[in-house]
């Protein structure tokens, strides 16, 4: 079946916003009823679209009945690589996770990781032959349009043709993406970004990242380098980050920086990040101060992003987002303080996080690339 641009537009509209009536699809895409019928017929015949009966069940139905995507028609594998682990999911076309697993990385050697990826793909696909793509996300410079990972500091990689190597190993089309941008894509199509032409996603954990959607498009930038906000200056009298920058956002607000500052100040080197959060909950003065400083840094970063691009929403997520209740007041105060005086503070939505969300984002990145660029 040859996919036309009009077919692609109808399918994506229903995937992201459906189910909806034919009249609504035609209105949203500025198509005549006859043109929509012509465009939708091959997708219906091939089983990618179905007509929903009045009780919400699949059926042949009349043209007035809602159209929807058959999400089970294809599935995608999403894989997130960290410095230590591999997280993987199989998801349907609406990003609902069907299965998931994780493995510790056996090392950072490229061949070793490719072999582990191939094993995970085999395990997730052995009973499911409908897998249409593999998406891999990682911290670093990578885009779905380029099979090469430019840099990945956590893995120590530079110029690694990861997509090609994995595709050769598993026999399934494979794309790579920056992990924060992949998470942004998932929010754009299946999360809080649906229906918004502009939003930013801020992640906080071992690092600080930012994904951007402007005019309905995910911003990729030159060589995949966007959202590099971790080293934004906060206070030139502040602590040093791991790169030697004084008072940048990473020096205040990452889980690593928070744990290190509290552990050193209290002379308790074995404290974990969650130990530090518990101390702050109990009102321990040092922990409270450090969490307030982290909140102020994040509020300033969010305000800076909002002042530059004017998003409708900022989504806050990442593996350290559960610290938000402990720094929310400081964050909101700093956001208000640093927002341009002609504007109101941007709404901030806090999204709970699991590592499966990273992998789900990689699956959506593969889905989006297949639909929009194939």
């Amino acid at each position: 079946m040859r996919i036309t641009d009009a077919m692609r537009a109808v399918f994506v509209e229903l995937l992201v916003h459906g189910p909806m009536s034919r009249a609504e699809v035609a209105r949203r895409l500025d198509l005549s009823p006859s043109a929509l019928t012509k465009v939708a017929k091959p997708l219906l015949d091939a089983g990618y679209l179905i007509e929903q009966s009045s009780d919400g069940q699949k059926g042949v139905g009349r043209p007035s009945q809602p159209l929807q995507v058959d999400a089970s028609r294809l599935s995608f594998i999403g894989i997130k690589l960290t410095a230590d682990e591999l997280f993987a999911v199989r998801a349907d076309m609406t990003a609902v996770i069907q299965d998931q697993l994780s493995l510790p990385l056996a090392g950072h050697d490229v061949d070793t990781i490719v072999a582990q990826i191939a094993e995970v793909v085999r395990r997730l696909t052995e009973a499911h032959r409908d897998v249409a793509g593999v998406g891999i996300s990682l911290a670093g410079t990578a885009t779905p349009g380029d099979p090469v990972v430019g840099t990945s500091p956590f893995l120590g990689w530079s110029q690694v043709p990861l997509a090609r190597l994995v595709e050769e190993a598993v026999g399934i089309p494979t794309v790579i993406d920056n992990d924060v941008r992949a998470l942004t894509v998932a929010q754009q199509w299946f999360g809080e970004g649906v229906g918004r032409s502009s939003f930013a996603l801020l992640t906080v954990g071992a690092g600080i990242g930012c994904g951007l959607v402007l005019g309905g498009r995910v911003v990729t930038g030159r060589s995949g380098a966007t959202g590099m906000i971790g080293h934004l200056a906060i206070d030139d009298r502040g602590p040093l980050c791991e790169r030697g920058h004084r008072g940048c956002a990473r020096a205040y607000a990452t889980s690593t920086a928070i744990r290190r500052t509290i552990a050193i100040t209290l002379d308790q080197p074995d404290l974990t990040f969650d130990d530090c959060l518990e101390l702050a909950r109990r009102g321990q003065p040092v922990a409270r101060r450090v969490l307030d400083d982290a909140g102020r840094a994040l509020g300033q970063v969010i305000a800076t992003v909002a002042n530059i691009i004017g998003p409708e929403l900022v989504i806050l997520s990442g593996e350290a987002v559960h610290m938000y209740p402990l720094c929310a007041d400081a964050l909101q105060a700093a956001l208000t303080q640093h927002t341009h005086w002609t504007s109101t503070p941007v709404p901030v939505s806090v999204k709970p996080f699991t590592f499966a969300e990273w992998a789900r984002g990689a699956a959506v990145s593969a889905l989006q690339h297949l639909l929009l660029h194939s």
Side-chain angles (χ1 to χ4, degrees):
M1 179 175 64
R2 187 177 74 86
I3 304 297
T4 66
D5 288 343
M7 291 167 65
R8 185 178 289 109
V10 167
F11 187 85
V12 170
E13 193 70 20
L14 286 165
L15 180 70
V16 177
H17 301 287
M20 66 179 76
S21 68
R22 290 173 180 250
E24 178 64 9
V25 176
R27 184 191 67 78
R28 293 171 72 108
L29 297 177
D30 196 23
L31 294 173
S32 68
S34 60
L36 176 62
T37 297
K38 181 178 179 181
V39 169
K41 186 177 188 306
L43 294 171
L44 284 160
D45 291 345
Y48 288 100
L49 296 183
I50 55 178
E51 288 178 321
Q52 192 181 71
S53 62
S54 57
D55 60 0
Q57 301 298 312
K58 298 178 183 179
V60 177
R62 297 179 305 227
S64 61
Q65 293 176 319
L67 292 173
Q68 70 179 92
V69 169
D70 184 354
S72 65
R73 187 69 169 74
L74 296 175
S75 60
F76 293 81
I77 303 296
I79 295 170
K80 157 65 174 172
L81 297 175
T82 71
D84 306 307
E85 292 188 78
L86 179 159
F87 299 87
V89 301
R90 187 182 72 252
D92 70 14
M93 283 199 289
T94 55
V96 173
I97 295 175
Q98 302 164 325
D99 198 2
Q100 60 183 292
L101 58 85
S102 62
L103 293 175
L105 291 184
H108 289 177
D109 176 75
V110 174
D111 290 340
T112 298
I113 290 182
V114 169
Q116 287 194 274
I117 291 172
E119 171 62 17
V120 164
V121 172
R122 183 192 67 77
R123 289 168 60 180
L124 288 175
T125 61
E126 54 189 356
H128 301 270
R129 300 301 176 189
D130 59 348
V131 175
V134 174
I136 302 169
S137 75
L138 70 170
T141 50
T143 65
D146 188 341
V148 176
V149 176
T151 59
S152 180
F154 290 149
L155 296 173
W157 287 357
S158 177
Q159 300 303 309
V160 173
L162 183 64
R164 177 178 61 79
L165 294 172
V166 171
E167 190 165 325
E168 290 173 353
V170 303
I172 301 173
T174 300
V175 299
I176 54 176
D177 207 350
N178 170 268
D179 53 0
V180 177
R181 190 159 48 245
L183 199 60
T184 304
V185 166
Q187 288 299 305
Q188 180 192 26
W189 274 20
F190 304 111
E192 299 205 32
V194 173
R196 301 180 190 275
S197 65
S198 67
F199 69 92
L201 180 138
L202 193 76
T203 58
V204 58
I208 299 174
C210 183
L212 302 171
V213 171
L214 294 176
R217 294 179 177 271
V218 177
V219 178
T220 300
R222 183 171 61 88
S223 302
T226 56
M228 305 295 190
I229 61 172
H231 296 286
L232 283 176
I234 302 298
D235 187 339
D236 60 11
R237 300 163 298 176
L240 294 173
C241 76
E242 75 282 1
R243 302 291 297 180
H245 303 145
R246 184 165 297 282
C248 70
R250 285 180 69 107
Y252 282 107
T254 64
S255 55
T256 304
I258 290 168
R259 191 211 69 80
R260 182 179 62 242
T261 302
I262 294 173
I264 290 174
T265 305
L266 296 179
D267 194 22
Q268 297 183 45
D270 294 332
L271 286 175
T272 66
F273 176 64
D274 285 338
D275 290 337
C276 294
L277 297 188
E278 181 58 31
L279 288 174
R281 284 190 196 95
R282 295 176 184 174
Q284 204 285 331
V286 171
R288 279 277 4 128
R289 174 182 58 78
V290 173
L291 265 297
D292 284 343
D293 287 346
R296 280 189 285 270
L298 289 174
Q300 185 170 336
V301 168
I302 292 171
T304 300
V305 171
N307 289 340
I308 293 171
I309 69 168
E312 299 171 43
L313 177 73
V314 169
I315 303 166
L316 183 63
S317 189
E319 61 265 35
V321 75
H322 59 296
M323 74 178 182
Y324 177 78
L326 296 168
C327 63
D329 290 345
L331 185 154
Q332 290 295 335
L335 174 58
T336 299
Q337 177 186 354
H338 293 281
T339 295
H340 192 272
W341 63 271
T342 61
S343 302
T344 57
V346 64
V348 176
S349 174
V350 179
K351 181 169 178 60
F353 175 87
T354 66
F355 273 104
E357 280 295 308
W358 287 117
R360 177 176 176 264
V364 177
S365 186
L367 165 66
Q368 189 176 84
H369 186 74
L370 173 69
L371 292 180
L372 299 184
H373 302 287
S374 61

